[in-house]
Amino acid sequence: MISVPTEWKERLDLRRFFRGEKAVDGPIPLTHRRVFILPNRRGFGLALLLAIQFLAAIHYSNNLAFILTFLLAGIAMQSTLYAFRNLAGLSVRRGKAPPVFAGEPARFELHLDNPSRIHRLGLGARLAGTATTIRFDVAPQSTATLILHAEAEKRGWLPLPTVTFDTSFPLGLFRAWSPVNLRQRALVYPRPAPPGIEPPASPPLGHGARPNPGEEEDFYGFTGYRPGDPLKRIHWKGVAKGQGVHVKQYAGGEAAELVLDWQYTPGADIEARLSRLCRWVLDADAAGTRYSLRLPGVVIGKGRGEAHRARCLEALALFGK
């Protein structure tokens, strides 16, 4: 039994015509192995018309009809070379993929390098699973930067789907395309919960804020009830409305430090708790308050600032992954 080399198996796999080859870090050159060409609807329509015209030329023995048929067929076939040249030789590099929140479109940045002196016209790029195609040109010896959007429905890492570059240049009779898989991913944070367990003047922040004795206390938000919390701080109106037992939280200005604890976070399931913690992290960061985050198996110490915020949100995004 003759064994087929793995490389040839990959080349003969018909799925690579639509899914492309295995994902790599890049850059990916669009060589002859990666560019495919087939007639589109217009091309098949022209082929049918030329076939009818050819039969009519035979039937009437009309030399002018033969010349016109062969001339149009020659021009159409010549366009395949231009379509191939329009894609071949380009190189695709990955760019930035900033974090987003679940429910927002993820932004993938790609760079398309054109090292040749040929002006690449009428190019298109589309992500797998989307219906939107971006149309663009690439000037000679220059780079085009593309921003492609993908739906980010779930938290965690979102890999870049297959990107298909295509062109119907110059006559629109043939479609040349090249599916590309770059090893790139975007981090998706949990979807933030709506502000406030119950609409207060300020959004709820986590458990643990306590004012220093003698300082003026200001209302800060709500937190989950813990055994030992003062009864006078229980939000009895919320209890009467069936919204659970929550404790009013007060802070004394700069002395307030928050402990955002998974254990005392309300929520029906894991995702609801993560959404609430995400909201609290955003609110604490906006208020300039020092805060810490405690998750099962993960403890992030007190801090504030953009780096601390990103670290906490990343821990929430990758929780349980």
Side-chain angles (χ1 to χ4, degrees):
M1 183 176 179
I2 300 176
S3 61
V4 180
T6 304
E7 182 180 355
W8 280 102
K9 288 183 179 180
E10 294 178 356
R11 290 190 181 186
L12 297 176
D13 189 354
L14 296 180
R15 291 177 297 180
R16 79 183 187 94
F17 290 89
F18 306 98
R19 301 180 184 178
E21 300 180 357
K22 294 181 180 179
V24 296
D25 293 327
I28 298 179
L30 303 187
T31 61
H32 66 282
R33 281 184 50 191
R34 300 180 183 270
V35 180
F36 314 108
I37 303 177
L38 280 177
N40 54 22
R41 291 184 179 180
R42 295 178 182 177
F44 282 115
L46 179 63
L48 178 61
L49 177 62
L50 292 178
I52 296 174
Q53 187 171 302
F54 181 70
L55 293 177
I58 294 176
H59 180 75
Y60 293 105
S61 298
N62 191 314
N63 292 332
L64 291 179
F66 280 116
I67 294 175
L68 180 60
T69 301
F70 294 143
L71 177 63
L72 292 178
I75 294 175
M77 295 305 297
Q78 186 73 10
S79 68
T80 62
L81 300 178
Y82 284 92
F84 172 81
R85 192 182 67 167
N86 208 31
L87 278 181
L90 296 175
S91 181
V92 185
R93 295 182 290 115
R94 64 184 182 183
K96 299 179 180 178
V100 296
F101 293 96
E104 298 178 350
R107 299 174 65 256
F108 292 98
E109 182 182 84
L110 299 179
H111 303 290
L112 201 61
D113 299 322
N114 178 17
S116 69
R117 297 182 179 180
I118 303 173
H119 200 151
R120 313 301 178 103
L121 302 172
L123 300 178
R126 180 177 62 86
L127 284 179
T130 63
T132 303
T133 300
I134 299 177
R135 294 295 172 186
F136 60 97
D137 301 331
V138 186
Q141 298 179 339
S142 65
T143 299
T145 299
L146 309 178
I147 303 295
L148 302 178
H149 296 86
E151 293 298 326
E153 297 295 338
K154 298 180 180 180
R155 64 180 177 87
W157 289 112
L158 175 66
L160 173 67
T162 301
V163 185
T164 301
F165 296 95
D166 73 320
T167 181
S168 295
F169 179 83
L171 300 180
L173 301 176
F174 291 84
R175 177 177 180 262
W177 77 94
S178 179
V180 171
N181 290 305
L182 277 170
R183 192 175 290 122
Q184 185 179 13
R185 59 184 184 175
L187 184 60
V188 182
Y189 298 144
R191 188 192 306 265
I197 299 175
E198 178 187 356
S202 60
L205 301 173
H207 146 262
R210 293 291 183 270
N212 286 345
E215 293 189 3
E216 182 181 357
E217 296 184 354
D218 296 323
F219 176 71
Y220 215 76
F222 295 102
T223 185
Y225 174 77
R226 292 183 308 154
D229 283 339
L231 296 180
K232 64 180 181 179
R233 292 192 175 184
I234 294 178
H235 184 52
W236 295 107
K237 291 183 179 180
V239 175
K241 294 179 180 180
Q243 297 176 343
V245 182
H246 298 95
V247 178
K248 294 180 180 179
Q249 191 172 300
Y250 296 88
E254 294 297 330
E257 289 185 341
L258 305 178
V259 179
L260 309 182
D261 199 325
W262 168 271
Q263 183 179 357
Y264 304 109
T265 302
D269 53 21
I270 293 178
E271 298 303 323
R273 285 191 176 190
L274 293 175
S275 295
R276 175 59 58 187
L277 286 169
C278 180
R279 166 55 58 188
W280 287 347
V281 168
L282 296 178
D283 291 342
D285 179 72
T289 306
R290 289 173 55 85
Y291 59 95
S292 62
L293 178 64
R294 295 180 181 177
L295 301 173
V298 178
V299 177
I300 299 178
K302 293 180 181 178
R304 59 185 167 192
E306 184 176 350
H308 184 68
R309 170 182 176 272
R311 185 183 176 191
C312 292
L313 292 177
E314 180 178 352
L316 295 175
L318 302 180
F319 177 74
K321 299 293 185 180

